[in-house]
């Protein structure tokens, strides 16, 4: 038996983001934003968020408010969300697929990762801008 009645039927989504010679896995929490934010709003420490907005990250004041926020049990509970096993399975396979290093661009002398078939975005754009081979007179 699952905790279906109290879990999110949809879960976070994972996508591989490629940018030139770097890549990362993007975890999109928007599908669980409603329950996440509802739970966060229950914290008595949310007033500290306004202070974070106006303090320099790394400053003593910023660090003090951030530490109080992350130590708040209600905040910690809000950041621990239940998702349905079906949503977990989907997230699991998205994480599995997006974790691997992408293939490299096959264009000569290009160090980027491929994003469009076997080319990077730049080389793909360049290829589209050139007239098709064999049609030049
Ligand atoms: Zn390229």
């Amino acid at each position: 038996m699952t905790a279906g009645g109290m879990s999110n039927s949809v879960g976070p989504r994972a996508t591989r983001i490629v940018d030139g010679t770097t890549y990362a896995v993007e975890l999109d929490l928007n599908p669980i934003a409603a329950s996440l934010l509802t739970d966060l709003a229950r914290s008595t420490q949310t007033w500290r968020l306004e202070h974070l907005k106006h303090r320099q990250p790394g400053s003593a004041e910023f660090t003090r408010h951030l530490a109080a926020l992350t130590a708040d049990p209600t905040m910690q509970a809000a950041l621990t969300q239940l998702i349905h096993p079906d949503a977990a399975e989907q997230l699991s396979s998205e994480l599995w697929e997006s974790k691997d290093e992408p293939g490299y661009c096959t264009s000569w002398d290009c160090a980027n990762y491929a994003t469009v078939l076997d080319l990077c975005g730049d080389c793909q754009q360049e290829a589209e801008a050139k007239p098709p081979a064999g049609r030049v007179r």
Side-chain angles (χ1 to χ4, degrees), residues 25-130:
V25 178
E26 178 182 83
L27 186 61
D28 180 4
L29 300 178
N30 281 291
I32 61 167
S35 63
L36 185 68
L37 293 172
T38 300
D39 292 350
L40 281 173
R42 292 191 179 112
S43 168
T44 58
Q45 301 297 307
T46 52
W47 60 272
R48 293 180 186 276
L49 291 171
E50 193 62 29
H51 286 270
L52 289 183
K53 196 163 74 178
H54 301 290
R55 301 292 189 290
Q56 185 70 29
S59 69
E61 280 292 285
F62 185 94
T63 303
R64 187 173 65 82
H65 287 295
L66 187 60
L69 276 166
T70 56
D72 176 34
T74 305
M75 195 65 76
Q76 291 172 348
L79 294 173
T80 306
Q81 294 286 312
L82 290 174
I83 59 172
H84 191 275
D86 291 344
E89 187 173 340
Q90 182 178 20
L91 176 60
S92 172
S93 62
E94 287 175 357
L95 285 169
W96 182 258
E97 290 167 14
S98 57
K99 72 179 179 3
D100 293 330
E101 183 177 21
Y104 283 98
C105 177
T106 56
S107 184
W108 187 80
D109 204 26
C110 180
N112 289 340
Y113 287 120
T115 55
V116 185
L117 299 174
D118 58 351
L119 295 176
C120 71
D122 292 345
C123 293
Q124 180 65 32
Q125 267 188 341
E126 211 170 281
E128 286 172 6
K130 283 182 188 168

